[in-house]
């Protein structure tokens, strides 16, 4: 027997978990955190399936619960996911707003890796969807510097690859090397 489940089967299991958590109540921080996490997973699953009718309510409720608990790392993560959902809907202004809010929280809590990763997304949003290639280049360079400081070679490579693409878009081929 296979232990693999389809996305639809996982969604049903997550909805059952949410029903159970709701019936158990959210009287403790742990119960609220469990519900918030299951909602996050449900929202991500729906986002991967491009089901915005399920994505947005799940991610928004998860964010509300994590805000109530006061977990800033999860707040930043949920804001970034809501930004990704907005980007999927081609709502670039809302994407930018969510990403900027997430970036502010990540910087506040000292999440350098999360900040560096989000700078790549902001660069793509600015350069490739917004036409602000010079702004994108600056964001990619900041991300790359952060990854170098962290020793994150994979992240640094992602930043440099995006930087190279942005430089080529501007016709700055020597800088792209």
């Amino acid at each position: 027997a296979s232990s693999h489940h389809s996305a639809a089967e996982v969604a049903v299991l997550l909805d059952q978990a949410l029903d159970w958590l709701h019936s158990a109540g959210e009287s403790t921080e742990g119960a609220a955190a469990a519900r918030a996490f299951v909602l996050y997973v449900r929202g991500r699953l729906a986002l991967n399936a491009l089901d915005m009718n399920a994505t947005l309510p799940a991610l928004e409720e998860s964010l509300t619960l994590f805000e109530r608990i006061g977990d800033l790392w999860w707040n930043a993560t949920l804001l970034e996911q809501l930004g990704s959902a907005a980007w999927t809907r081609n709502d670039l202004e809302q994407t930018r707003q969510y990403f900027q809010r997430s970036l502010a929280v990540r910087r506040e809590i000292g999440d350098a890796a999360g900040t560096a990763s989000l700078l790549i997304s902001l660069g793509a949003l600015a350069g490739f969807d917004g036409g602000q290639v010079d702004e994108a280049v600056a964001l990619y360079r900041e991300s790359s510097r952060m990854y170098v400081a962290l020793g994150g070679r994979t992240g640094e490579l992602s930043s440099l690859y995006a930087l190279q693409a942005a430089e080529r878009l501007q016709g700055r081929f020597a800088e792209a090397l």
Side-chain angles (χ1 to χ4, degrees):
S2 174
S3 63
H4 298 286
H5 297 282
S6 72
E9 292 170 321
V10 172
V12 168
L13 292 172
L14 290 169
D15 289 340
Q16 289 172 348
L18 287 170
D19 289 344
W20 180 84
L21 286 167
H22 181 70
S23 68
E26 294 176 13
S27 59
T28 67
E29 187 176 298
R35 180 170 175 75
F37 181 75
V38 172
L39 283 162
Y40 164 75
V41 174
R42 180 66 178 97
R44 284 294 311 264
L45 181 68
L47 179 58
N48 290 344
L50 301 178
D51 179 359
M52 291 303 138
N53 292 326
T55 298
L56 297 177
L59 293 178
E60 288 168 352
E61 186 178 348
S62 180
L63 175 61
T64 298
L65 289 168
F66 279 122
E67 285 174 337
R68 190 177 83 207
I69 293 166
D71 190 318
L72 294 178
W73 186 87
W74 276 108
N75 287 357
T77 299
L78 266 296
L79 288 166
E80 187 173 348
Q81 291 306 308
L82 284 163
S84 295
W87 204 349
T88 299
R89 296 186 324 273
N90 203 33
D91 186 340
L92 303 183
E93 185 53 38
Q94 190 172 44
T95 302
R96 187 174 288 100
Q97 289 172 8
Y98 278 126
F99 282 179
Q100 290 292 345
R101 287 175 58 198
S102 178
L103 184 65
V105 174
R106 290 198 186 283
R107 285 185 166 153
E108 176 186 341
I109 63 175
D111 179 4
T115 297
S117 176
L118 191 52
L119 288 170
I120 295 172
S121 296
L122 281 164
L125 182 65
F128 297 103
D129 280 333
Q132 303 298 318
V133 179
D134 288 334
E135 179 184 344
V137 165
L139 292 164
Y140 295 145
R141 285 187 176 146
E142 182 180 355
S143 173
S144 178
R145 284 190 297 271
M146 291 182 79
Y147 277 124
V148 166
L150 291 168
R153 303 295 292 172
T154 302
E156 180 188 0
L157 179 62
S158 296
S159 297
L160 292 174
Y161 179 77
L163 177 60
Q164 181 183 48
E167 295 286 15
R168 283 185 176 156
L169 276 177
Q170 292 295 86
R172 298 186 292 238
F173 301 108
E175 290 88 344
L177 298 177

